[in-house]
Each structure stands twice: as structure tokens, then as C-alpha cells.
Amino acid sequence: MEDYSKKVMDHFFNPRNVGEIEDADGIGEVGNPRCGDIMRMYIKVKENIITDIKFKTFGCGAAVATSSMVTEMVKGKNINEALEITNKQVAEALDGLPPVKMHCSNLAEAGIKAAIDDYYKKNGKGK
Amino acid sequence: MYMKELIYMDNSATTRISSEVLDSMMPYLTTGYGNPSSIYSIGRESRKAVENARELVAKALSCDTNEIYFTSGGSESDNWAIKGVAFANENKGKHIITTSIEHHAVLHTCKYLEKYGFEITYLPVKSNGIIDINDLKKAIRKDTILISIMYANNEIGSIQPIKEIGEIAKENNIYFHTDAVQAIGNIPINLKELNIDLLSLSAHKFHGPKGVGVLYIRKGVKISNMIHGGGQEKNMRAGTENVAGIVGLGKAIELATIDIEKKSKYLITLRERLIKGIMESIPDTILNGDPINRLPGNVNVCFKYIEGESILLLLDMKGICASSGSACTSGSLNPSHVLLAIGLPHEIAHGSLRLTLSEENTQEEIEYVLETLPPIIQNLRNMSPLINEK
Ligand code: FES
């Protein structure tokens, strides 16, 4: 099998921001149609800034690592910046993913978007 | 417990070559490089070595040396058996029966034959991974020319009723091929007592070298050549013999079949301890395959709510080598066809773990795995969105 980068391994073995936020302002759950994995993101938003974020992931090493990495990337960012993050950026931040694992990073991007969507819905704001 | 060495529990994938086997091969990788087809002395030495290995294989399987053909491994043997019988007998019919849990070397070969107008029946298996013999009887048609059913499954270890299948095949005058790649060296096989017409095996599954295997072809079976060229293997399989590999295979099968009952018993003891320990210490775990009719060294379980590749990475960090049928480990992103065939839903198949033992594994290693595994599973479950924190 193709190797994961050191960064992927680090985020897999020591994932950041694992868990749930009880009074989350937005929760996004996304599934990966290619292999059946699931990711759930919880965000806390204050004055348009993502002040806290947690995730839970049912998936492979790359799915866990990209979940972990994306939470680090968006924490403290404002919502518009967070929405701009792409799966490619997440993969690059991890020093790349094996080609067969690129699709796993879609979960991370989609998870953030879904959580922000949910936050908008709950707050009656349009996009 | 501190483990300095690798704990290798993926013996269905491949095994460690034994030192005795390696020693037997070395002369033919160094000074004994003669081509077995040459007439001078180092050529004749090589020929002798090949024929000696053939005798060892025939002895291990209780068949005639003329029925043993060396190949490049299990996949070639399967391809040859199925395509060779199909093309040589298509005047009699173009129907083949196999199962839905075969190795890809069989399944993809059958799929390939469909393009040439062959019709394939893929028998289902029961939830224990074993076929219903009545399904086989019902599937037989006038134009059935071949039944190809594996001896034992590589993933879940289920052992098929080979004797009965052989009898049915014989009654109906249909050739019977079995992929015995996982069975050889783990369970005793006596070809005199079984109506098997063709049997595939591969050396690296029983502490032999990679890249060499055997197709047993019962005397009188009509089969076409797959590899054309020189006159090796009695004009049936061309190509200069892999002398060192063949010698290694001979040594390995000899070692693997001496005392096989004792070895099986030992493996079953280890397996039962491992299964019991896992089932007792980890909730929401399913044992896949038949509890009794299974390969002595096969453990295959599903842990609900988590994914297999993650388990493998964490086990690897603890020095344990294992495998999984999870979609994420497959490369194709589909879960194992075997786990789906025994009726597991995708998300359950996702959390599969296979540990396959050999006689080199020890009781201490089993205990180490039983200490290491529960916290790993718990850790991953804590991260799973399928379990709600309370
Ligand atoms: S999440 Fe399934 S392959 Fe990565």
C-alpha cells in the first residue's frame, strides 16, 4: 500500500478536536458515497467567527486525518474564510494523500460546509 | 508487555519463508543454475531437483507425479484450470458453476469467460460462508462442464463440503476444480479420497517462496494449454522452470504436511483462545464464518461502528500485522465481496478484522493481541459518529 505522509500519520494517531459540542450552533453530517464513511462536524459561532469545532469520523486513516486537519484550519476563522477551504488545501496541508485516498478529503470540505449550512438555517440567515 | 518483534498474523496473505526452505533453494540460485532442459551435468542436476520436488508434492497430496504441473502461483493455476477446461470442452457445453466467495483469480477468470459466451452460475453461500449442497445440485445443467469451488475461504476461513461436491461432480460427469491455496498445509488433503479433478496451490502460503505454485490435473482431464512455447511440463506449460522456486515449493509442502494433524490442533487452540478473548472483551463484535468448519488459523470478526483501515494502522503501530475487508483498504473502495456474500451490510463489513495464524505464532502473542486490541477498538469507537455520547 502507498504510504501516508508523516503529517497524515500524526493527525491520525493524535487527532485534534475529536468529540461533540453539546450546544453547537451548527452540526453537519456528511457521508462518503464512494466507500460509505461518515463524518459529523460541530461548530460554535460567535460574531461570524468559528470559535470552537469538534468532529467525529467513521472512516479510514485519511478520513480521520483530514477531519482533524480541517478543524485546525477553520478554528478561529470567520465563516466566509472557512467556506473557502477546499479539499485540495486540506490534502496539501497534510503534505498530500495517496491518489486512492483523495476522495476522503471531500468529507472534510463537505463537513464544514454542512455545519455552516446548518448554522445558517438555525439562525434564519441565507447564504 | 514490550514486544520487540513483529507479531505477524496475516498468514493468509503470505507467510514467512522457512529457513529450511531457503536453504534447499540456495544451491539453485547460485552454482546450480543449469537449465533443466540442457544435457550437461548442471542441467541434469536441475532436472533432478525439479523431479524430486514433483515427487514431494505428489506424496503430500497422495497423487501421481504425472499429475503435478508447476506454475507461477495460485492465480496462474486458477486461470489455467478454468480457462483450460472451458476452452477444451466447449463442444460439450458452456456452463460453469462457481461460488460468490471465490478468490478474484477465479471470479475474474469466470467473468472473462462470460465474454466468450460461457454462462456462469455463482452459487450463494449461507451466512456461515458455506454453500448449500442443494443449490449446487439444482444449478447443474446438461451443458455444465466445470464446477470450481474453493476448498477454504481466504477471508473468513469457511471450509466447503469438498467430498460431497466431488461426488456430485463425478455422478454428473462434470470436472471439479478446487482452489486449495488456503487449505494446503493447514488441513490434510488426500486426493485419493476426494473426487477432485483439478487443484490449485501456491507455495508462499505455507512458508515457501512467492512466484511458484502447482496445478494438479487428474490423469485424463481434457484441458488446453495457457502458456505456449517450449516443451516443459510435458508440453503442457511452457517456460524454463523456476528451479529454485520449485525446489522450495517441494521442501515447503513436505514440511507443511508432516504432522499436519498436530499442527492443525495447535492452531485451533490458538484460534479459539483469540476468538473467545476478543468476543469476551469487546462488545458489539460479530464472528464471521463458520465457528467449526473453518481454517485452523483463521479469525475474522467485525467490530461495529468503526472502520478497518484505522484498526490496521493502530495495530501496526503496536507491531501487529493483520488485514481487513473494509472498503477503505480495498483500493477499489468496495467492501469485501465475501463479507457482502455472507449478508453483512456495508457499514458492518467496514469494521472487519482478519487475523490469520501460522504455527510460528505463540500463546504469548495471542495474549499480547488480546491486551492491545480492546483499547484500540474503544479509542476508535470514541471517535465514531455512529455512537452517541451520553
Ligand atoms: S474514508 Fe474510506 S477510503 Fe478514506
Side-chain angles (χ1 to χ4, degrees):
Chain A
M1 190 189 130
E2 230 175 304
D3 267 358
Y4 282 136
S5 71
K6 280 215 179 78
K7 271 211 181 134
V8 171
M9 290 310 243
D10 176 40
H11 277 263
F12 172 70
F13 288 125
N14 310 293
R16 334 297 199 242
N17 305 311
V18 178
E20 301 180 358
I21 301 176
E22 273 204 19
D23 54 344
D25 297 314
I27 301 176
E29 180 167 312
V30 289
N32 191 329
R34 292 212 51 199
C35 58
D37 293 315
I38 298 166
M39 178 189 298
R40 202 185 295 143
M41 286 276 173
Y42 302 78
I43 52 169
K44 204 71 193 138
V45 183
K46 210 179 207 165
E47 285 155 16
N48 227 30
I49 304 276
I50 299 179
T51 55
D52 198 9
I53 178 160
K54 290 248 148 72
F55 79 91
K56 286 203 148 186
T57 290
F58 166 60
C60 74
V64 172
T66 51
S67 310
S68 166
M69 180 49 97
V70 85
T71 60
E72 286 217 312
M73 290 168 79
V74 303
K75 206 169 180 175
K77 294 251 162 68
N78 74 43
I79 284 190
N80 292 334
E81 288 168 330
L83 281 171
E84 269 166 25
I85 287 177
T86 65
N87 62 335
K88 250 187 100 192
Q89 288 168 342
V90 180
E92 273 163 19
L94 287 165
D95 292 339
L97 287 170
V100 68
K101 295 288 183 179
M102 272 311 285
H103 72 100
C104 313
S105 59
N106 295 340
L107 271 188
E109 183 191 326
I112 297 289
K113 298 214 158 107
I116 294 173
D117 249 14
D118 184 54
Y119 163 72
Y120 278 144
K121 247 181 249 152
K122 281 184 179 145
N123 290 276
K125 293 182 201 163
K127 261 187 250 179
Chain B
M1 186 174 17
Y2 174 63
M3 282 288 184
K4 15 184 200 325
E5 273 171 49
L6 211 60
I7 298 190
Y8 186 75
M9 294 198 180
D10 200 15
N11 287 282
S12 280
T14 193
T15 55
R16 193 175 69 86
I17 191 165
S18 83
S19 53
E20 267 178 272
V21 169
L22 183 63
D23 288 347
S24 74
M25 294 169 68
M26 283 312 278
Y28 303 97
L29 292 165
T30 50
T31 49
Y33 53 84
N35 188 320
S37 302
S38 303
I39 61 156
Y40 36 78
S41 61
I42 59 165
R44 293 199 308 271
E45 284 301 322
S46 293
R47 164 64 49 214
K48 245 205 248 155
V50 167
E51 295 318 315
N52 180 44
R54 203 185 307 277
E55 267 169 40
L56 291 172
V57 177
K59 200 168 148 225
L61 299 177
S62 306
C63 66
D64 202 87
T65 49
N66 291 324
E67 298 171 311
I68 300 299
Y69 297 85
F70 292 112
T71 66
S72 65
S75 290
E76 185 191 326
S77 295
D78 286 342
N79 269 264
W80 184 12
I82 296 168
K83 289 180 212 166
V85 165
F87 290 132
N89 297 278
E90 57 182 327
N91 58 328
K92 281 202 247 153
K94 295 186 92 167
H95 180 237
I96 294 171
I97 300 171
T98 185
T99 78
S100 52
I101 63 163
E102 296 299 309
H103 190 274
H104 284 139
V106 169
L107 284 180
H108 291 173
T109 302
C110 288
K111 281 267 170 290
Y112 168 83
L113 285 175
E114 284 176 355
K115 287 191 219 147
Y116 291 86
F118 287 88
E119 273 181 74
I120 318 286
T121 299
Y122 300 92
L123 298 176
V125 291
K126 296 175 284 185
S127 60
N128 63 356
I130 297 176
I131 63 158
D132 182 336
I133 206 84
N134 289 316
D135 286 342
L136 171 65
K137 287 182 188 157
K138 276 184 254 161
I140 291 174
R141 315 194 313 210
K142 271 209 190 68
D143 60 342
T144 307
I145 51 170
L146 176 67
I147 295 169
S148 178
I149 295 179
M150 70 198 326
Y151 211 111
N153 185 265
N154 48 314
E155 293 186 37
I156 56 172
S158 52
I159 300 173
Q160 301 299 335
I162 293 299
K163 196 163 188 309
E164 277 176 273
I165 298 168
E167 279 160 13
I168 292 167
K170 195 175 180 193
E171 277 163 30
N172 290 278
N173 233 332
I174 300 166
Y175 287 137
F176 173 34
H177 164 247
T178 188
D179 174 342
V181 165
Q182 296 292 335
I184 299 286
N186 284 307
I187 43 182
I189 295 179
N190 183 339
L191 286 172
K192 280 218 176 70
E193 293 167 1
L194 302 162
N195 290 303
I196 293 171
D197 297 299
L198 304 114
L199 175 143
S200 308
L201 66 87
S202 177
H204 75 101
K205 306 289 189 183
F206 46 86
H207 306 288
K210 293 170 183 63
V212 60
V214 160
L215 181 63
Y216 156 82
I217 306 175
R218 188 193 285 279
K219 215 169 146 224
V221 168
K222 238 180 106 192
I223 185 166
S224 305
N225 288 12
M226 281 297 117
I227 297 185
H228 303 273
Q232 292 88 354
E233 298 298 288
K234 300 183 289 292
N235 276 318
M236 295 282 283
R237 197 271 187 190
T240 298
E241 296 86 343
N242 170 7
V243 180
I246 289 169
V247 168
L249 185 152
K251 188 76 202 165
I253 203 167
E254 184 187 26
L255 295 173
T257 48
I258 300 174
D259 263 352
I260 192 163
E261 265 98 9
K262 203 171 130 210
K263 177 182 149 188
S264 287
K265 251 204 202 137
Y266 173 66
L267 288 179
I268 289 172
T269 318
L270 293 186
R271 178 191 79 192
E272 290 307 301
R273 169 72 189 122
L274 190 50
I275 291 176
K276 196 161 165 268
I278 291 174
M279 302 304 284
E280 279 174 3
S281 61
I282 305 173
D284 293 322
T285 303
I286 300 166
L287 175 69
N288 299 314
D290 193 90
I292 295 152
N293 286 316
R294 76 186 299 136
L295 285 171
N298 175 286
V299 175
N300 189 313
V301 288
C302 282
F303 301 109
K304 288 190 192 168
Y305 319 121
I306 56 173
E307 188 281 321
E309 187 198 277
S310 300
I311 306 173
L312 299 187
L313 291 169
L314 292 168
L315 283 174
D316 181 41
M317 212 176 62
K318 300 282 183 188
I320 301 167
C321 307
S323 75
S324 168
S326 158
C328 302
T329 60
S330 72
S332 69
L333 299 178
N334 291 315
S336 137
H337 65 286
V338 177
L339 298 180
L340 296 183
I342 59 172
L344 296 184
H346 282 236
E347 70 274 16
I348 302 282
H350 230 45
S352 77
L353 175 70
R354 181 186 74 173
L355 297 158
T356 43
L357 311 173
S358 90
E359 68 276 24
E360 294 182 352
N361 290 117
T362 63
Q363 197 76 50
E364 291 79 61
E365 289 179 334
I366 301 285
E367 298 309 322
Y368 175 71
V369 170
L370 287 174
E371 272 170 41
T372 311
L373 195 55
I376 286 178
I377 303 304
Q378 193 49 48
N379 182 1
L380 288 170
R381 283 183 173 166
N382 290 343
M383 218 192 288
S384 170
L386 301 179
I387 300 178
N388 283 319
E389 252 169 37
K390 260 283 135 304

PDB file of all heavy atoms in Angstrom, chain A residues 32 35 37 59-60 62-63 101 103-104 107, chain B residues 328 333 350, ligand 1:
ATOM      1  N   ASN A  32     -19.683   9.626   2.729  1.00  0.00           N
ATOM      2  CA  ASN A  32     -18.874   9.471   1.530  1.00  0.00           C
ATOM      3  C   ASN A  32     -19.492   8.388   0.664  1.00  0.00           C
ATOM      4  O   ASN A  32     -19.487   7.217   1.047  1.00  0.00           O
ATOM      5  CB  ASN A  32     -17.455   9.073   1.944  1.00  0.00           C
ATOM      6  CG  ASN A  32     -16.498   9.141   0.791  1.00  0.00           C
ATOM      7  OD1 ASN A  32     -16.889   8.928  -0.355  1.00  0.00           O
ATOM      8  ND2 ASN A  32     -15.255   9.439   1.095  1.00  0.00           N
ATOM      9  N   CYS A  35     -17.102   5.146  -0.373  1.00  0.00           N
ATOM     10  CA  CYS A  35     -16.737   3.998   0.452  1.00  0.00           C
ATOM     11  C   CYS A  35     -17.616   3.855   1.680  1.00  0.00           C
ATOM     12  O   CYS A  35     -17.429   2.938   2.463  1.00  0.00           O
ATOM     13  CB  CYS A  35     -15.278   4.085   0.871  1.00  0.00           C
ATOM     14  SG  CYS A  35     -14.928   5.575   1.772  1.00  0.00           S
ATOM     15  N   ASP A  37     -18.175   6.128   4.245  1.00  0.00           N
ATOM     16  CA  ASP A  37     -17.739   6.709   5.503  1.00  0.00           C
ATOM     17  C   ASP A  37     -18.606   7.896   5.902  1.00  0.00           C
ATOM     18  O   ASP A  37     -19.267   8.492   5.072  1.00  0.00           O
ATOM     19  CB  ASP A  37     -16.278   7.121   5.396  1.00  0.00           C
ATOM     20  CG  ASP A  37     -15.419   5.889   5.258  1.00  0.00           C
ATOM     21  OD1 ASP A  37     -15.671   4.956   6.018  1.00  0.00           O
ATOM     22  OD2 ASP A  37     -14.559   5.857   4.375  1.00  0.00           O
ATOM     23  N   GLY A  59     -14.273   6.260   9.538  1.00  0.00           N
ATOM     24  CA  GLY A  59     -13.598   6.144   8.258  1.00  0.00           C
ATOM     25  C   GLY A  59     -12.147   5.778   8.402  1.00  0.00           C
ATOM     26  O   GLY A  59     -11.661   5.472   9.491  1.00  0.00           O
ATOM     27  N   CYS A  60     -11.446   5.837   7.277  1.00  0.00           N
ATOM     28  CA  CYS A  60     -10.069   5.370   7.230  1.00  0.00           C
ATOM     29  C   CYS A  60      -9.104   6.377   7.836  1.00  0.00           C
ATOM     30  O   CYS A  60      -9.504   7.456   8.279  1.00  0.00           O
ATOM     31  CB  CYS A  60      -9.683   5.101   5.784  1.00  0.00           C
ATOM     32  SG  CYS A  60      -9.428   6.605   4.834  1.00  0.00           S
ATOM     33  N   ALA A  62      -7.041   8.349   6.384  1.00  0.00           N
ATOM     34  CA  ALA A  62      -7.065   9.630   5.684  1.00  0.00           C
ATOM     35  C   ALA A  62      -8.300  10.437   6.073  1.00  0.00           C
ATOM     36  O   ALA A  62      -8.255  11.666   6.184  1.00  0.00           O
ATOM     37  CB  ALA A  62      -7.041   9.396   4.173  1.00  0.00           C
ATOM     38  N   ALA A  63      -9.414   9.751   6.300  1.00  0.00           N
ATOM     39  CA  ALA A  63     -10.644  10.450   6.685  1.00  0.00           C
ATOM     40  C   ALA A  63     -10.471  11.094   8.053  1.00  0.00           C
ATOM     41  O   ALA A  63     -10.861  12.247   8.271  1.00  0.00           O
ATOM     42  CB  ALA A  63     -11.824   9.487   6.692  1.00  0.00           C
ATOM     43  N   LYS A 101      -6.791   7.898  -1.971  1.00  0.00           N
ATOM     44  CA  LYS A 101      -7.374   8.453  -0.759  1.00  0.00           C
ATOM     45  C   LYS A 101      -7.795   9.912  -0.910  1.00  0.00           C
ATOM     46  O   LYS A 101      -8.255  10.531   0.055  1.00  0.00           O
ATOM     47  CB  LYS A 101      -6.367   8.350   0.395  1.00  0.00           C
ATOM     48  CG  LYS A 101      -6.049   6.922   0.792  1.00  0.00           C
ATOM     49  CD  LYS A 101      -7.232   6.282   1.510  1.00  0.00           C
ATOM     50  CE  LYS A 101      -6.904   4.886   1.982  1.00  0.00           C
ATOM     51  NZ  LYS A 101      -8.028   4.272   2.692  1.00  0.00           N
ATOM     52  N   HIS A 103     -10.313  11.165  -2.317  1.00  0.00           N
ATOM     53  CA  HIS A 103     -11.754  11.352  -2.109  1.00  0.00           C
ATOM     54  C   HIS A 103     -12.113  11.524  -0.642  1.00  0.00           C
ATOM     55  O   HIS A 103     -13.138  12.103  -0.327  1.00  0.00           O
ATOM     56  CB  HIS A 103     -12.531  10.167  -2.711  1.00  0.00           C
ATOM     57  CG  HIS A 103     -12.361   8.907  -1.917  1.00  0.00           C
ATOM     58  ND1 HIS A 103     -13.301   8.463  -1.023  1.00  0.00           N
ATOM     59  CD2 HIS A 103     -11.338   8.025  -1.843  1.00  0.00           C
ATOM     60  CE1 HIS A 103     -12.865   7.349  -0.448  1.00  0.00           C
ATOM     61  NE2 HIS A 103     -11.674   7.067  -0.931  1.00  0.00           N
ATOM     62  N   CYS A 104     -11.262  11.009   0.248  1.00  0.00           N
ATOM     63  CA  CYS A 104     -11.561  11.108   1.681  1.00  0.00           C
ATOM     64  C   CYS A 104     -11.563  12.560   2.139  1.00  0.00           C
ATOM     65  O   CYS A 104     -12.279  12.924   3.077  1.00  0.00           O
ATOM     66  CB  CYS A 104     -10.542  10.331   2.506  1.00  0.00           C
ATOM     67  SG  CYS A 104     -10.224   8.679   1.874  1.00  0.00           S
ATOM     68  N   LEU A 107     -14.788  14.691   2.300  1.00  0.00           N
ATOM     69  CA  LEU A 107     -15.608  14.656   3.516  1.00  0.00           C
ATOM     70  C   LEU A 107     -15.334  15.884   4.365  1.00  0.00           C
ATOM     71  O   LEU A 107     -16.255  16.488   4.912  1.00  0.00           O
ATOM     72  CB  LEU A 107     -15.255  13.426   4.349  1.00  0.00           C
ATOM     73  CG  LEU A 107     -15.965  12.099   4.130  1.00  0.00           C
ATOM     74  CD1 LEU A 107     -15.529  11.138   5.232  1.00  0.00           C
ATOM     75  CD2 LEU A 107     -17.470  12.248   4.161  1.00  0.00           C
TER      76      LEU A 107
ATOM     77  N   CYS B 328     -12.323   0.817   2.618  1.00  0.00           N
ATOM     78  CA  CYS B 328     -11.224   1.777   2.615  1.00  0.00           C
ATOM     79  C   CYS B 328      -9.869   1.110   2.410  1.00  0.00           C
ATOM     80  O   CYS B 328      -8.888   1.781   2.092  1.00  0.00           O
ATOM     81  CB  CYS B 328     -11.200   2.551   3.926  1.00  0.00           C
ATOM     82  SG  CYS B 328     -12.714   3.430   4.276  1.00  0.00           S
ATOM     83  N   LEU B 333     -12.420   0.524  -3.252  1.00  0.00           N
ATOM     84  CA  LEU B 333     -13.400   1.220  -2.428  1.00  0.00           C
ATOM     85  C   LEU B 333     -14.714   0.469  -2.294  1.00  0.00           C
ATOM     86  O   LEU B 333     -15.734   1.036  -1.919  1.00  0.00           O
ATOM     87  CB  LEU B 333     -13.632   2.653  -2.920  1.00  0.00           C
ATOM     88  CG  LEU B 333     -12.359   3.511  -2.878  1.00  0.00           C
ATOM     89  CD1 LEU B 333     -12.632   4.899  -3.419  1.00  0.00           C
ATOM     90  CD2 LEU B 333     -11.787   3.610  -1.473  1.00  0.00           C
ATOM     91  N   HIS B 350     -17.383  -2.858   6.954  1.00  0.00           N
ATOM     92  CA  HIS B 350     -16.384  -1.813   7.138  1.00  0.00           C
ATOM     93  C   HIS B 350     -15.466  -2.063   8.328  1.00  0.00           C
ATOM     94  O   HIS B 350     -14.293  -1.732   8.286  1.00  0.00           O
ATOM     95  CB  HIS B 350     -17.132  -0.505   7.375  1.00  0.00           C
ATOM     96  CG  HIS B 350     -16.663   0.604   6.515  1.00  0.00           C
ATOM     97  ND1 HIS B 350     -16.428   0.448   5.185  1.00  0.00           N
ATOM     98  CD2 HIS B 350     -16.390   1.897   6.799  1.00  0.00           C
ATOM     99  CE1 HIS B 350     -16.022   1.596   4.690  1.00  0.00           C
ATOM    100  NE2 HIS B 350     -15.990   2.489   5.647  1.00  0.00           N
TER     101      HIS B 350
HETATM  102  S1  FES C   1     -12.809   7.189   4.161  1.00  0.00           S
HETATM  103 FE1  FES C   1     -12.959   5.301   3.082  1.00  0.00          FE
HETATM  104  S2  FES C   1     -11.178   5.331   1.954  1.00  0.00           S
HETATM  105 FE2  FES C   1     -10.929   7.044   3.201  1.00  0.00          FE
END
